[in-house]
Amino acid sequence: MLAKWLNAGYWEKNQLFPTSKGTPQGGIISPILANLTLDGLEAAIRQVVRTRGDKVNFIRYADDFIVTGATKEILEQKVKPAVTAFLQERGLELSEQKTVITHIHDGFNFLGHTVRKHGDKLLIKPAKRNIQDLRDKISQTTKSALGLSQEALIRKLNPSLRGWANYFRNGVAKRTFCTLDTYLFRKLWLWAKRRHPTKSATWKRQRYFKAAGEEWNFSVNIRLAKGKSRVLELYRMAHTKIERHIKVRGAANPYDPAYTDYFDKRRCFAWCVLSGPTAGLPAKGCHELEANPT
């Protein structure tokens, strides 16, 4: 059905426009098509793994997915053949470069995160490569901004910092955020020194790091209409709140009335844990979701 729909073309003003090209790589509909194509993969894996002792679980995001199992043999002999057969029916195949079977204590990278077990504790942290990419971007931005005003530099940095922090806020990232804030401060201090090589450290601190009233906070007063002004601050990644994510049930559909109560409980749990005077304590009606988060 999906193949027929993709080849159907479209009708406009009494004229048929046939589909002559495929979906471009990175197109906005590409992840949706990947989700539609891979729907049923988890069920196919469940069919070949029937015992609880195998501890097989499945996580998917568009065309990237993880399958966990109790042993390497289960993944090699049962899961991988089932995945290969499922993809082959749809004209797809596993990427040999990206597909790896590894022990959880050795860890692996997935969607920019490093998933690794340390002793008995599983930690999900930002991957080193992604951290280095952000450091390189910060360095390049500050080096090329000697001619920019402080306001322009802050407006250029803030979207990247806030977006990066929000993406990784569900994992163990607080220490990484603090480290990146320190790295950013050093780059900004170097930026100020290059702009004013003859000025003292006290003068540069008063000029660039005192507008918000806090010590060493990169900020600036900007003028608004009618003589008003406000303080524009650099986004501090360490201020990003860590929020643990609860996996959505594989079969859950927000448009299916049968799951209305389930999504209501998810919203209730998120609100009562992350806000209010009883933050961190589940509200009444959320105990079932907390006990069975998947």
Side-chain angles (χ1 to χ4, degrees):
M1 182 60 67
L2 179 59
K4 291 180 179 179
W5 175 67
L6 291 173
N7 288 303
Y10 66 97
W11 184 272
E12 184 179 9
K13 296 181 179 179
N14 297 323
Q15 184 179 355
L16 176 64
F17 294 86
T19 300
S20 57
K21 296 182 179 179
T23 303
Q25 181 71 23
I28 58 175
I29 200 174
S30 182
I32 298 175
L33 294 178
N35 277 324
L36 292 171
T37 304
L38 296 181
D39 276 348
L41 178 55
E42 182 174 5
I45 294 174
R46 296 292 180 193
Q47 289 180 357
V48 299
V49 183
R50 298 183 179 276
T51 61
R52 285 178 173 262
D54 291 340
K55 298 180 180 179
V56 174
N57 290 285
F58 178 81
I59 302 291
R60 175 163 62 90
Y61 185 88
D63 59 344
D64 295 311
F65 57 87
I66 305 170
V67 185
T68 63
T71 65
K72 184 177 181 180
E73 289 72 22
I74 292 172
L75 297 176
E76 286 182 336
Q77 300 172 12
K78 294 182 179 180
V79 174
K80 190 173 181 180
V83 172
T84 301
F86 180 90
L87 296 177
Q88 191 172 11
E89 291 182 13
R90 291 152 179 79
L92 303 173
E93 61 182 13
L94 283 174
S95 170
E96 294 298 331
Q97 296 179 342
K98 297 182 179 180
T99 303
V100 60
I101 298 179
T102 182
H103 197 277
I104 190 61
H105 286 99
D106 296 328
F108 59 91
N109 291 338
F110 182 69
L111 300 177
H113 298 77
T114 296
V115 182
R116 185 179 178 185
K117 200 168 186 179
H118 301 262
D120 295 330
K121 184 176 291 186
L122 179 68
L123 299 180
I124 303 176
K125 300 180 179 180
K128 291 182 179 180
R129 179 178 177 180
N130 291 71
I131 296 173
Q132 188 59 49
D133 287 344
L134 182 61
R135 288 166 68 101
D136 292 342
K137 187 174 183 178
I138 290 172
S139 178
Q140 183 180 2
T141 301
T142 54
K143 284 182 180 179
S144 61
L146 288 179
L148 294 180
S149 64
Q150 185 181 12
E151 177 185 351
L153 180 56
I154 293 176
R155 293 189 184 279
K156 196 171 183 179
L157 287 170
N158 274 355
S160 297
L161 301 176
R162 183 179 286 106
W164 201 94
N166 285 336
Y167 181 79
F168 289 102
R169 66 183 176 178
N170 300 125
V172 184
K174 182 63 75 172
R175 182 177 295 179
T176 301
F177 291 164
C178 294
T179 301
L180 287 169
D181 279 344
T182 301
Y183 176 81
L184 179 58
F185 167 77
R186 291 173 180 169
K187 290 296 180 181
L188 291 173
W189 184 251
L190 185 60
W191 174 84
K193 287 177 65 176
R194 287 174 175 170
R195 283 173 65 92
H196 308 281
T198 61
K199 297 293 185 179
S200 66
T202 301
W203 185 93
K204 288 191 281 283
R205 182 173 64 119
Q206 293 289 339
R207 173 70 179 271
Y208 294 111
F209 295 89
K210 291 284 289 182
E214 299 181 16
E215 289 292 329
W216 301 107
N217 188 13
F218 195 69
S219 54
V220 60
N221 277 304
I222 57 176
R223 295 181 179 179
L224 303 176
K226 298 180 181 180
K228 297 182 179 179
S229 65
R230 72 178 183 89
V231 176
L232 178 64
E233 302 179 52
L234 183 74
Y235 182 79
R236 288 195 176 185
M237 301 178 71
H239 291 173
T240 304
K241 190 173 183 179
I242 301 298
E243 300 176 1
R244 301 294 181 229
H245 174 71
I246 299 176
K247 180 180 178 291
V248 180
R249 292 176 184 173
N253 187 335
Y255 300 104
D256 187 345
Y259 290 98
T260 300
D261 185 54
Y262 169 74
F263 282 102
D264 285 344
K265 287 182 178 179
R266 284 187 64 89
R267 285 188 288 269
C268 168
F269 183 77
W271 180 85
C272 64
V273 170
L274 301 177
S275 65
T278 57
L281 300 177
K284 185 177 181 181
C286 295
H287 301 289
E288 179 184 346
L289 181 66
E290 186 185 27
N292 184 21
T294 58

